[in-house]
Amino acid sequence: MGKGNVRISIRYKLFAVITVLIISMTTVIGTVMIRRQKKQYLDQLVQFGVFVASYQAQACAEPLLYADELAMSLLVRDVSRNPQVVEAMVLDKDGIIRAHNNLEKLGTFYVAPRNTNSTDELGRVTLHHLIDQKESLLEFVSPVEYPDMRIGTVHLILSRNYIDRDISQATWFVIGLAVVLMVVGAGLSLILSTVLLKPIQSLVRGTREIAGGNFDFHVDVHKNDEMGDLANAFNGMARDLQMKRVIEESFGRYVSPHIVDRILENPDQIWVGGANHEVSLFFADIRGFTTLTERIPPEELLALLNGYFSLATEVIVKHRGYIDKFVGDAVMAVFGAPVADPDHPINAVRALIDLRDRMADYNAAIGNGIQLRVGMGATLGQVVAGNVGSQTRMEYTVMGDTVNVASRLTQMAKPGDILISSTLYQRASSMIRTEEVGEIHVKGREKPVMVYRVLRSETERNVP
C-alpha cells in the first residue's frame, strides 16, 4: 500500500456499491414511473376538459340564444361541482359573461388571461396552458353554435393541483422506497460481506503464516464454490512450499545452495532420469580408522566421525559440490553434477586443499593425542549421473570408470596426501603446485593413469 492511501474495508466498499446501485435503479425506475403517471394524469385531465367543454357548449346553445340565464347557471353549477374545476363560464358573442360559477362576474366583460404559456388545438376545443402564481391551470375554450352560427363561447378552467399532489405523493413514495431498499441493502451487504470476508480473512491469515515460514497452516474448506476452489488451491500451494522447503533443507545438506536453486528452478529437468556429465570428483578417506575404533569408546568415535563429516560437507558445499555418499569413514564428493558447472575442476581442487587445511585445525581442537589423518584422491572425466535404486528407495549418484580411478587414487594416498589424475591436473595446474608421482594401472583400464601429488596452492608459492 502506498503512503497516504486510505484503507477502506471491502465491507464498506460493498455497502457503497449496493447503495449506489439501489439509489441509481430507484431513481431511474421512479423517474420513468412518475413521468409516465404524470403524463397519464394530464392526458386524462385534458380528455375530461375537452369532453366537459364540448358538452357544455352543446347544452347551452339554446339557453344562450334565448337568454335563458337560469338554465345556463344550472349547467355551470353542475360542472363546477367537480373539484378540479376552477372556473366555468358562458360568454355571448360580444364577450359578456352570461353564466359563471362566481355570480359576481355575471354581466362583466371577459378579459383573457395574459399568462398563457402555450396553446393547443384539440379539434373544436382550444386548450390554453396558464401559469398562475399559486398553481398551473388549463383553460378549455369551445365555441357555442346554433345551428351553424357562432353565438358565444364556453370557458372551462381546470386546476392541475390534483395531478401535482399525486405526483408529489408518488415522488415521496419512491424516496421512501429508496430509503427502505437502502436499509435492506445495508443489511444484505453486511451479511454478504461477512460471508465473503470470512474465507478471505482466513486466506489472508494463511498468507501471513506462510510468509512467516509456517507451511503447515491449513485453510478449512467449507464451501463447494469458487471460494472453496481458492482455499483448495491455497492449501495445495502450502503443500508445495512445504515440499520445497523439505527439499531445500534435506538436499541442501548435501549440495550447495547454488545447486539447490538451479534444481528448484527446473524441477522437470532430465537430470533426475540419467545423463552423461563431465565432473570432477574425489574421495576423502580416514587413514588408520580401524585402529581408532579399538582405542576410543564408540560414542566418542561417533562424535569424532560426525564432526569430520560435518567439516567435509561444509567444505564441499562451500565450493559448489555435493555429497554423493558416505562410505564407512570415507566421503565421496562430486563437482559439475547434477547441475553443469564449467569451473568444476578448480572448485574440486580448492575443496581438496581447503579440507586438508581445515583438518589440521580440527585435529588441533580434538586434543588427547587423537589425530584424524585423511588421504584424498581426485580425478576428472565422464560419468553417468541419475537416480539409482528400486521403487521404494532411490538415490542420486554417479557411475563410471572415473569413479574407479578416484577410488584407486584414494587408496594410494598417504595421510595428508592429495593425489590427482592428469586429466584434473591439466585443467587446474595454474592454481596449484604439484610433484609427479608416476603412472599407475587401474583395474579395468588399458592405459595407465598419470598421478600428481598436490603440494600447495598457487597462493602459497611464495611461502618459504
Side-chain angles (χ1 to χ4, degrees), residues 255-299:
V255 301
S256 70
H258 169 74
I259 295 178
V260 174
D261 292 340
R262 291 286 298 276
I263 291 174
L264 292 177
E265 288 174 3
N266 300 281
D268 297 327
Q269 195 175 349
I270 61 172
W271 64 270
V272 295
N276 290 321
H277 287 272
E278 182 192 72
V279 300
S280 297
L281 60 88
F282 70 76
F283 287 88
D285 186 28
I286 298 177
R287 294 292 181 254
F289 183 73
T290 303
T291 303
L292 288 176
T293 61
E294 298 174 353
R295 294 172 46 197
I296 303 175
E299 58 275 9

mmCIF file of all heavy atoms in Angstrom, residues 255-299:
data_model
loop_
_atom_site.group_PDB
_atom_site.id
_atom_site.type_symbol
_atom_site.label_atom_id
_atom_site.label_comp_id
_atom_site.label_asym_id
_atom_site.label_seq_id
_atom_site.Cartn_x
_atom_site.Cartn_y
_atom_site.Cartn_z
ATOM 1 N N VAL A 255 24.305 -30.666 -1.060
ATOM 2 C CA VAL A 255 24.770 -29.869 -2.189
ATOM 3 C C VAL A 255 24.765 -28.405 -1.805
ATOM 4 O O VAL A 255 24.154 -28.003 -0.816
ATOM 5 C CB VAL A 255 23.874 -30.090 -3.440
ATOM 6 C CG1 VAL A 255 23.866 -31.545 -3.849
ATOM 7 C CG2 VAL A 255 22.454 -29.619 -3.179
ATOM 8 N N SER A 256 25.406 -27.591 -2.619
ATOM 9 C CA SER A 256 25.486 -26.167 -2.328
ATOM 10 C C SER A 256 24.150 -25.501 -2.607
ATOM 11 O O SER A 256 23.344 -25.991 -3.403
ATOM 12 C CB SER A 256 26.574 -25.525 -3.205
ATOM 13 O OG SER A 256 26.165 -25.505 -4.559
ATOM 14 N N PRO A 257 23.886 -24.372 -1.953
ATOM 15 C CA PRO A 257 22.640 -23.644 -2.225
ATOM 16 C C PRO A 257 22.485 -23.289 -3.693
ATOM 17 O O PRO A 257 21.366 -23.230 -4.215
ATOM 18 C CB PRO A 257 22.758 -22.407 -1.350
ATOM 19 C CG PRO A 257 23.693 -22.809 -0.245
ATOM 20 C CD PRO A 257 24.667 -23.765 -0.875
ATOM 21 N N HIS A 258 23.619 -23.067 -4.376
ATOM 22 C CA HIS A 258 23.563 -22.743 -5.796
ATOM 23 C C HIS A 258 22.936 -23.890 -6.581
ATOM 24 O O HIS A 258 22.078 -23.677 -7.453
ATOM 25 C CB HIS A 258 24.983 -22.462 -6.311
ATOM 26 C CG HIS A 258 25.086 -22.371 -7.800
ATOM 27 N ND1 HIS A 258 24.634 -21.287 -8.502
ATOM 28 C CD2 HIS A 258 25.574 -23.255 -8.718
ATOM 29 C CE1 HIS A 258 24.847 -21.486 -9.800
ATOM 30 N NE2 HIS A 258 25.407 -22.676 -9.955
ATOM 31 N N ILE A 259 23.335 -25.113 -6.280
ATOM 32 C CA ILE A 259 22.778 -26.269 -6.989
ATOM 33 C C ILE A 259 21.319 -26.464 -6.635
ATOM 34 O O ILE A 259 20.481 -26.761 -7.489
ATOM 35 C CB ILE A 259 23.598 -27.534 -6.655
ATOM 36 C CG1 ILE A 259 25.027 -27.378 -7.198
ATOM 37 C CG2 ILE A 259 22.943 -28.770 -7.234
ATOM 38 C CD1 ILE A 259 25.934 -28.543 -6.871
ATOM 39 N N VAL A 260 20.979 -26.307 -5.353
ATOM 40 C CA VAL A 260 19.583 -26.444 -4.938
ATOM 41 C C VAL A 260 18.708 -25.452 -5.699
ATOM 42 O O VAL A 260 17.624 -25.803 -6.199
ATOM 43 C CB VAL A 260 19.446 -26.232 -3.415
ATOM 44 C CG1 VAL A 260 17.976 -26.235 -3.017
ATOM 45 C CG2 VAL A 260 20.182 -27.319 -2.657
ATOM 46 N N ASP A 261 19.141 -24.203 -5.804
ATOM 47 C CA ASP A 261 18.358 -23.191 -6.510
ATOM 48 C C ASP A 261 18.177 -23.559 -7.979
ATOM 49 O O ASP A 261 17.083 -23.406 -8.543
ATOM 50 C CB ASP A 261 19.039 -21.827 -6.397
ATOM 51 C CG ASP A 261 19.019 -21.283 -4.966
ATOM 52 O OD1 ASP A 261 18.175 -21.749 -4.184
ATOM 53 O OD2 ASP A 261 19.856 -20.417 -4.663
ATOM 54 N N ARG A 262 19.243 -24.060 -8.603
ATOM 55 C CA ARG A 262 19.157 -24.439 -10.012
ATOM 56 C C ARG A 262 18.189 -25.593 -10.222
ATOM 57 O O ARG A 262 17.413 -25.615 -11.187
ATOM 58 C CB ARG A 262 20.550 -24.816 -10.528
ATOM 59 C CG ARG A 262 21.532 -23.663 -10.641
ATOM 60 C CD ARG A 262 21.198 -22.766 -11.832
ATOM 61 N NE ARG A 262 21.287 -23.485 -13.077
ATOM 62 C CZ ARG A 262 22.441 -23.669 -13.746
ATOM 63 N NH1 ARG A 262 23.564 -23.149 -13.280
ATOM 64 N NH2 ARG A 262 22.451 -24.336 -14.879
ATOM 65 N N ILE A 263 18.217 -26.555 -9.310
ATOM 66 C CA ILE A 263 17.325 -27.710 -9.427
ATOM 67 C C ILE A 263 15.881 -27.285 -9.227
ATOM 68 O O ILE A 263 14.974 -27.701 -9.954
ATOM 69 C CB ILE A 263 17.722 -28.804 -8.416
ATOM 70 C CG1 ILE A 263 19.074 -29.407 -8.819
ATOM 71 C CG2 ILE A 263 16.663 -29.896 -8.358
ATOM 72 C CD1 ILE A 263 19.612 -30.393 -7.812
ATOM 73 N N LEU A 264 15.632 -26.432 -8.231
ATOM 74 C CA LEU A 264 14.264 -25.987 -7.960
ATOM 75 C C LEU A 264 13.735 -25.094 -9.069
ATOM 76 O O LEU A 264 12.524 -25.035 -9.288
ATOM 77 C CB LEU A 264 14.213 -25.255 -6.622
ATOM 78 C CG LEU A 264 14.457 -26.126 -5.384
ATOM 79 C CD1 LEU A 264 14.460 -25.261 -4.136
ATOM 80 C CD2 LEU A 264 13.405 -27.217 -5.273
ATOM 81 N N GLU A 265 14.618 -24.392 -9.772
ATOM 82 C CA GLU A 265 14.181 -23.574 -10.898
ATOM 83 C C GLU A 265 13.723 -24.439 -12.063
ATOM 84 O O GLU A 265 12.859 -24.049 -12.842
ATOM 85 C CB GLU A 265 15.325 -22.660 -11.365
ATOM 86 C CG GLU A 265 15.620 -21.511 -10.408
ATOM 87 C CD GLU A 265 16.840 -20.723 -10.844
ATOM 88 O OE1 GLU A 265 17.401 -21.058 -11.918
ATOM 89 O OE2 GLU A 265 17.233 -19.788 -10.125
ATOM 90 N N ASN A 266 14.304 -25.637 -12.206
ATOM 91 C CA ASN A 266 13.961 -26.548 -13.296
ATOM 92 C C ASN A 266 13.699 -27.940 -12.733
ATOM 93 O O ASN A 266 14.476 -28.873 -12.937
ATOM 94 C CB ASN A 266 15.104 -26.617 -14.325
ATOM 95 C CG ASN A 266 15.407 -25.261 -14.932
ATOM 96 O OD1 ASN A 266 14.711 -24.795 -15.812
ATOM 97 N ND2 ASN A 266 16.461 -24.626 -14.438
ATOM 98 N N PRO A 267 12.600 -28.112 -11.998
ATOM 99 C CA PRO A 267 12.345 -29.390 -11.350
ATOM 100 C C PRO A 267 12.078 -30.523 -12.331
ATOM 101 O O PRO A 267 12.226 -31.689 -11.983
ATOM 102 C CB PRO A 267 11.105 -29.110 -10.488
ATOM 103 C CG PRO A 267 10.442 -27.957 -11.163
ATOM 104 C CD PRO A 267 11.552 -27.127 -11.723
ATOM 105 N N ASP A 268 11.665 -30.202 -13.578
ATOM 106 C CA ASP A 268 11.354 -31.246 -14.551
ATOM 107 C C ASP A 268 12.529 -31.567 -15.460
ATOM 108 O O ASP A 268 12.384 -32.302 -16.436
ATOM 109 C CB ASP A 268 10.166 -30.806 -15.421
ATOM 110 C CG ASP A 268 8.909 -30.610 -14.583
ATOM 111 O OD1 ASP A 268 8.747 -31.348 -13.591
ATOM 112 O OD2 ASP A 268 8.109 -29.721 -14.929
ATOM 113 N N GLN A 269 13.689 -31.033 -15.158
ATOM 114 C CA GLN A 269 14.862 -31.265 -15.990
ATOM 115 C C GLN A 269 15.236 -32.737 -15.952
ATOM 116 O O GLN A 269 15.009 -33.437 -14.960
ATOM 117 C CB GLN A 269 16.033 -30.404 -15.510
ATOM 118 C CG GLN A 269 17.174 -30.312 -16.513
ATOM 119 C CD GLN A 269 18.249 -29.342 -16.039
ATOM 120 O OE1 GLN A 269 18.024 -28.612 -15.088
ATOM 121 N NE2 GLN A 269 19.377 -29.334 -16.698
ATOM 122 N N ILE A 270 15.828 -33.231 -17.035
ATOM 123 C CA ILE A 270 16.079 -34.670 -17.164
ATOM 124 C C ILE A 270 17.233 -35.147 -16.305
ATOM 125 O O ILE A 270 17.578 -36.318 -16.354
ATOM 126 C CB ILE A 270 16.378 -35.042 -18.633
ATOM 127 C CG1 ILE A 270 17.644 -34.303 -19.129
ATOM 128 C CG2 ILE A 270 15.203 -34.716 -19.531
ATOM 129 C CD1 ILE A 270 18.110 -34.765 -20.495
ATOM 130 N N TRP A 271 17.813 -34.268 -15.467
ATOM 131 C CA TRP A 271 18.928 -34.718 -14.632
ATOM 132 C C TRP A 271 18.522 -35.841 -13.703
ATOM 133 O O TRP A 271 19.356 -36.655 -13.302
ATOM 134 C CB TRP A 271 19.496 -33.549 -13.821
ATOM 135 C CG TRP A 271 18.558 -32.957 -12.835
ATOM 136 C CD1 TRP A 271 17.699 -31.943 -13.044
ATOM 137 C CD2 TRP A 271 18.377 -33.346 -11.474
ATOM 138 N NE1 TRP A 271 16.987 -31.651 -11.915
ATOM 139 C CE2 TRP A 271 17.384 -32.503 -10.928
ATOM 140 C CE3 TRP A 271 18.945 -34.320 -10.658
ATOM 141 C CZ2 TRP A 271 16.952 -32.613 -9.618
ATOM 142 C CZ3 TRP A 271 18.522 -34.429 -9.341
ATOM 143 C CH2 TRP A 271 17.532 -33.586 -8.840
ATOM 144 N N VAL A 272 17.251 -35.922 -13.326
ATOM 145 C CA VAL A 272 16.828 -36.987 -12.418
ATOM 146 C C VAL A 272 16.732 -38.318 -13.136
ATOM 147 O O VAL A 272 16.671 -39.370 -12.503
ATOM 148 C CB VAL A 272 15.469 -36.640 -11.775
ATOM 149 C CG1 VAL A 272 15.584 -35.428 -10.899
ATOM 150 C CG2 VAL A 272 14.410 -36.430 -12.840
ATOM 151 N N GLY A 273 16.663 -38.306 -14.463
ATOM 152 C CA GLY A 273 16.476 -39.549 -15.176
ATOM 153 C C GLY A 273 17.756 -40.174 -15.696
ATOM 154 O O GLY A 273 17.730 -41.270 -16.235
ATOM 155 N N GLY A 274 18.874 -39.515 -15.585
ATOM 156 C CA GLY A 274 20.133 -40.071 -16.054
ATOM 157 C C GLY A 274 20.672 -39.308 -17.239
ATOM 158 O O GLY A 274 19.964 -39.076 -18.209
ATOM 159 N N ALA A 275 21.955 -38.936 -17.176
ATOM 160 C CA ALA A 275 22.578 -38.182 -18.256
ATOM 161 C C ALA A 275 24.090 -38.262 -18.095
ATOM 162 O O ALA A 275 24.604 -38.545 -17.011
ATOM 163 C CB ALA A 275 22.115 -36.724 -18.223
ATOM 164 N N ASN A 276 24.794 -38.035 -19.201
ATOM 165 C CA ASN A 276 26.254 -38.007 -19.163
ATOM 166 C C ASN A 276 26.724 -36.632 -18.725
ATOM 167 O O ASN A 276 26.221 -35.616 -19.190
ATOM 168 C CB ASN A 276 26.830 -38.331 -20.544
ATOM 169 C CG ASN A 276 26.607 -39.790 -20.920
ATOM 170 O OD1 ASN A 276 26.717 -40.673 -20.077
ATOM 171 N ND2 ASN A 276 26.292 -40.027 -22.190
ATOM 172 N N HIS A 277 27.678 -36.602 -17.817
ATOM 173 C CA HIS A 277 28.234 -35.353 -17.316
ATOM 174 C C HIS A 277 29.751 -35.471 -17.253
ATOM 175 O O HIS A 277 30.297 -36.537 -16.951
ATOM 176 C CB HIS A 277 27.720 -35.051 -15.902
ATOM 177 C CG HIS A 277 26.299 -34.618 -15.846
ATOM 178 N ND1 HIS A 277 25.903 -33.307 -15.971
ATOM 179 C CD2 HIS A 277 25.163 -35.333 -15.677
ATOM 180 C CE1 HIS A 277 24.587 -33.233 -15.880
ATOM 181 N NE2 HIS A 277 24.119 -34.455 -15.691
ATOM 182 N N GLU A 278 30.401 -34.347 -17.522
ATOM 183 C CA GLU A 278 31.818 -34.255 -17.190
ATOM 184 C C GLU A 278 31.907 -33.679 -15.786
ATOM 185 O O GLU A 278 31.401 -32.594 -15.515
ATOM 186 C CB GLU A 278 32.557 -33.345 -18.162
ATOM 187 C CG GLU A 278 34.061 -33.274 -17.843
ATOM 188 C CD GLU A 278 34.761 -32.170 -18.604
ATOM 189 O OE1 GLU A 278 34.540 -30.996 -18.259
ATOM 190 O OE2 GLU A 278 35.537 -32.493 -19.507
ATOM 191 N N VAL A 279 32.568 -34.407 -14.884
ATOM 192 C CA VAL A 279 32.624 -33.993 -13.488
ATOM 193 C C VAL A 279 34.051 -34.133 -12.972
ATOM 194 O O VAL A 279 34.893 -34.818 -13.559
ATOM 195 C CB VAL A 279 31.677 -34.837 -12.608
ATOM 196 C CG1 VAL A 279 30.248 -34.708 -13.074
ATOM 197 C CG2 VAL A 279 32.109 -36.299 -12.571
ATOM 198 N N SER A 280 34.262 -33.440 -11.874
ATOM 199 C CA SER A 280 35.444 -33.693 -11.042
ATOM 200 C C SER A 280 34.923 -34.306 -9.754
ATOM 201 O O SER A 280 33.917 -33.840 -9.211
ATOM 202 C CB SER A 280 36.192 -32.392 -10.751
ATOM 203 O OG SER A 280 36.676 -31.804 -11.933
ATOM 204 N N LEU A 281 35.585 -35.371 -9.284
ATOM 205 C CA LEU A 281 35.119 -35.999 -8.055
ATOM 206 C C LEU A 281 36.307 -36.487 -7.243
ATOM 207 O O LEU A 281 37.389 -36.730 -7.777
ATOM 208 C CB LEU A 281 34.138 -37.141 -8.357
ATOM 209 C CG LEU A 281 34.627 -38.318 -9.205
ATOM 210 C CD1 LEU A 281 35.271 -39.401 -8.329
ATOM 211 C CD2 LEU A 281 33.465 -38.925 -9.983
ATOM 212 N N PHE A 282 36.093 -36.597 -5.952
ATOM 213 C CA PHE A 282 37.168 -37.112 -5.098
ATOM 214 C C PHE A 282 36.594 -37.897 -3.934
ATOM 215 O O PHE A 282 35.425 -37.749 -3.561
ATOM 216 C CB PHE A 282 38.088 -35.986 -4.608
ATOM 217 C CG PHE A 282 37.474 -35.045 -3.598
ATOM 218 C CD1 PHE A 282 37.314 -35.418 -2.264
ATOM 219 C CD2 PHE A 282 37.087 -33.760 -3.968
ATOM 220 C CE1 PHE A 282 36.778 -34.541 -1.338
ATOM 221 C CE2 PHE A 282 36.548 -32.884 -3.047
ATOM 222 C CZ PHE A 282 36.391 -33.284 -1.729
ATOM 223 N N PHE A 283 37.475 -38.754 -3.397
ATOM 224 C CA PHE A 283 37.195 -39.465 -2.151
ATOM 225 C C PHE A 283 38.139 -38.924 -1.092
ATOM 226 O O PHE A 283 39.306 -38.615 -1.381
ATOM 227 C CB PHE A 283 37.424 -40.968 -2.308
ATOM 228 C CG PHE A 283 36.372 -41.674 -3.110
ATOM 229 C CD1 PHE A 283 36.480 -41.783 -4.488
ATOM 230 C CD2 PHE A 283 35.278 -42.235 -2.481
ATOM 231 C CE1 PHE A 283 35.528 -42.441 -5.222
ATOM 232 C CE2 PHE A 283 34.308 -42.900 -3.218
ATOM 233 C CZ PHE A 283 34.425 -43.002 -4.589
ATOM 234 N N ALA A 284 37.643 -38.812 0.143
ATOM 235 C CA ALA A 284 38.486 -38.451 1.288
ATOM 236 C C ALA A 284 38.280 -39.539 2.341
ATOM 237 O O ALA A 284 37.171 -39.705 2.860
ATOM 238 C CB ALA A 284 38.094 -37.081 1.827
ATOM 239 N N ASP A 285 39.351 -40.258 2.639
ATOM 240 C CA ASP A 285 39.253 -41.447 3.496
ATOM 241 C C ASP A 285 40.168 -41.289 4.710
ATOM 242 O O ASP A 285 41.319 -40.825 4.591
ATOM 243 C CB ASP A 285 39.663 -42.681 2.686
ATOM 244 C CG ASP A 285 39.441 -43.958 3.460
ATOM 245 O OD1 ASP A 285 38.550 -43.975 4.324
ATOM 246 O OD2 ASP A 285 40.167 -44.938 3.200
ATOM 247 N N ILE A 286 39.648 -41.644 5.883
ATOM 248 C CA ILE A 286 40.442 -41.559 7.111
ATOM 249 C C ILE A 286 41.397 -42.747 7.160
ATOM 250 O O ILE A 286 40.980 -43.905 7.039
ATOM 251 C CB ILE A 286 39.534 -41.563 8.348
ATOM 252 C CG1 ILE A 286 38.609 -40.334 8.334
ATOM 253 C CG2 ILE A 286 40.365 -41.578 9.626
ATOM 254 C CD1 ILE A 286 37.632 -40.297 9.485
ATOM 255 N N ARG A 287 42.651 -42.459 7.381
ATOM 256 C CA ARG A 287 43.667 -43.498 7.488
ATOM 257 C C ARG A 287 43.746 -43.984 8.943
ATOM 258 O O ARG A 287 43.695 -43.193 9.888
ATOM 259 C CB ARG A 287 45.035 -42.965 7.052
ATOM 260 C CG ARG A 287 45.082 -42.605 5.570
ATOM 261 C CD ARG A 287 44.971 -43.906 4.740
ATOM 262 N NE ARG A 287 45.028 -43.623 3.301
ATOM 263 C CZ ARG A 287 44.007 -43.664 2.498
ATOM 264 N NH1 ARG A 287 42.808 -43.956 2.999
ATOM 265 N NH2 ARG A 287 44.140 -43.435 1.223
ATOM 266 N N GLY A 288 43.889 -45.316 9.098
ATOM 267 C CA GLY A 288 44.010 -45.895 10.435
ATOM 268 C C GLY A 288 42.730 -45.833 11.241
ATOM 269 O O GLY A 288 42.782 -45.796 12.472
ATOM 270 N N PHE A 289 41.584 -45.842 10.568
ATOM 271 C CA PHE A 289 40.324 -45.735 11.289
ATOM 272 C C PHE A 289 40.059 -46.976 12.137
ATOM 273 O O PHE A 289 39.503 -46.884 13.230
ATOM 274 C CB PHE A 289 39.187 -45.528 10.284
ATOM 275 C CG PHE A 289 37.844 -45.329 10.933
ATOM 276 C CD1 PHE A 289 37.559 -44.136 11.578
ATOM 277 C CD2 PHE A 289 36.895 -46.346 10.917
ATOM 278 C CE1 PHE A 289 36.323 -43.956 12.180
ATOM 279 C CE2 PHE A 289 35.669 -46.154 11.523
ATOM 280 C CZ PHE A 289 35.375 -44.966 12.152
ATOM 281 N N THR A 290 40.466 -48.131 11.626
ATOM 282 C CA THR A 290 40.237 -49.369 12.378
ATOM 283 C C THR A 290 40.956 -49.324 13.714
ATOM 284 O O THR A 290 40.424 -49.759 14.749
ATOM 285 C CB THR A 290 40.706 -50.580 11.566
ATOM 286 O OG1 THR A 290 40.035 -50.602 10.296
ATOM 287 C CG2 THR A 290 40.413 -51.879 12.305
ATOM 288 N N THR A 291 42.176 -48.786 13.723
ATOM 289 C CA THR A 291 42.924 -48.679 14.983
ATOM 290 C C THR A 291 42.213 -47.760 15.962
ATOM 291 O O THR A 291 42.177 -48.023 17.173
ATOM 292 C CB THR A 291 44.336 -48.144 14.693
ATOM 293 O OG1 THR A 291 44.987 -49.009 13.744
ATOM 294 C CG2 THR A 291 45.159 -48.074 15.971
ATOM 295 N N LEU A 292 41.610 -46.692 15.426
ATOM 296 C CA LEU A 292 40.881 -45.764 16.303
ATOM 297 C C LEU A 292 39.686 -46.448 16.956
ATOM 298 O O LEU A 292 39.342 -46.154 18.100
ATOM 299 C CB LEU A 292 40.412 -44.544 15.499
ATOM 300 C CG LEU A 292 41.501 -43.553 15.066
ATOM 301 C CD1 LEU A 292 40.894 -42.463 14.188
ATOM 302 C CD2 LEU A 292 42.167 -42.932 16.286
ATOM 303 N N THR A 293 39.033 -47.317 16.221
ATOM 304 C CA THR A 293 37.867 -47.993 16.788
ATOM 305 C C THR A 293 38.238 -48.858 17.978
ATOM 306 O O THR A 293 37.381 -49.125 18.842
ATOM 307 C CB THR A 293 37.177 -48.862 15.724
ATOM 308 O OG1 THR A 293 38.107 -49.860 15.255
ATOM 309 C CG2 THR A 293 36.710 -48.020 14.549
ATOM 310 N N GLU A 294 39.484 -49.288 18.035
ATOM 311 C CA GLU A 294 39.919 -50.121 19.159
ATOM 312 C C GLU A 294 40.332 -49.280 20.359
ATOM 313 O O GLU A 294 40.287 -49.754 21.502
ATOM 314 C CB GLU A 294 41.084 -51.010 18.724
ATOM 315 C CG GLU A 294 40.713 -51.981 17.610
ATOM 316 C CD GLU A 294 41.926 -52.744 17.093
ATOM 317 O OE1 GLU A 294 43.070 -52.390 17.532
ATOM 318 O OE2 GLU A 294 41.768 -53.664 16.259
ATOM 319 N N ARG A 295 40.730 -48.046 20.121
ATOM 320 C CA ARG A 295 41.257 -47.204 21.194
ATOM 321 C C ARG A 295 40.201 -46.304 21.833
ATOM 322 O O ARG A 295 40.328 -45.920 22.999
ATOM 323 C CB ARG A 295 42.378 -46.315 20.646
ATOM 324 C CG ARG A 295 43.621 -47.071 20.197
ATOM 325 C CD ARG A 295 44.572 -46.117 19.504
ATOM 326 N NE ARG A 295 44.743 -44.878 20.254
ATOM 327 C CZ ARG A 295 45.246 -43.755 19.734
ATOM 328 N NH1 ARG A 295 45.580 -43.730 18.463
ATOM 329 N NH2 ARG A 295 45.374 -42.684 20.484
ATOM 330 N N ILE A 296 39.185 -45.921 21.058
ATOM 331 C CA ILE A 296 38.241 -44.897 21.517
ATOM 332 C C ILE A 296 36.871 -45.530 21.741
ATOM 333 O O ILE A 296 36.431 -46.375 20.947
ATOM 334 C CB ILE A 296 38.136 -43.764 20.472
ATOM 335 C CG1 ILE A 296 39.525 -43.169 20.195
ATOM 336 C CG2 ILE A 296 37.178 -42.679 20.930
ATOM 337 C CD1 ILE A 296 39.538 -42.138 19.097
ATOM 338 N N PRO A 297 36.183 -45.158 22.804
ATOM 339 C CA PRO A 297 34.827 -45.650 23.038
ATOM 340 C C PRO A 297 33.912 -45.294 21.852
ATOM 341 O O PRO A 297 34.106 -44.281 21.189
ATOM 342 C CB PRO A 297 34.384 -44.910 24.310
ATOM 343 C CG PRO A 297 35.657 -44.567 24.996
ATOM 344 C CD PRO A 297 36.658 -44.305 23.912
ATOM 345 N N PRO A 298 32.905 -46.126 21.610
ATOM 346 C CA PRO A 298 32.045 -45.929 20.423
ATOM 347 C C PRO A 298 31.399 -44.555 20.369
ATOM 348 O O PRO A 298 31.340 -43.939 19.301
ATOM 349 C CB PRO A 298 30.985 -47.028 20.559
ATOM 350 C CG PRO A 298 31.649 -48.078 21.381
ATOM 351 C CD PRO A 298 32.566 -47.353 22.330
ATOM 352 N N GLU A 299 30.912 -44.064 21.535
ATOM 353 C CA GLU A 299 30.211 -42.772 21.490
ATOM 354 C C GLU A 299 31.162 -41.636 21.140
ATOM 355 O O GLU A 299 30.813 -40.708 20.407
ATOM 356 C CB GLU A 299 29.495 -42.484 22.819
ATOM 357 C CG GLU A 299 30.387 -42.454 24.037
ATOM 358 C CD GLU A 299 30.616 -43.834 24.635
ATOM 359 O OE1 GLU A 299 30.218 -44.835 23.980
ATOM 360 O OE2 GLU A 299 31.146 -43.900 25.749
#
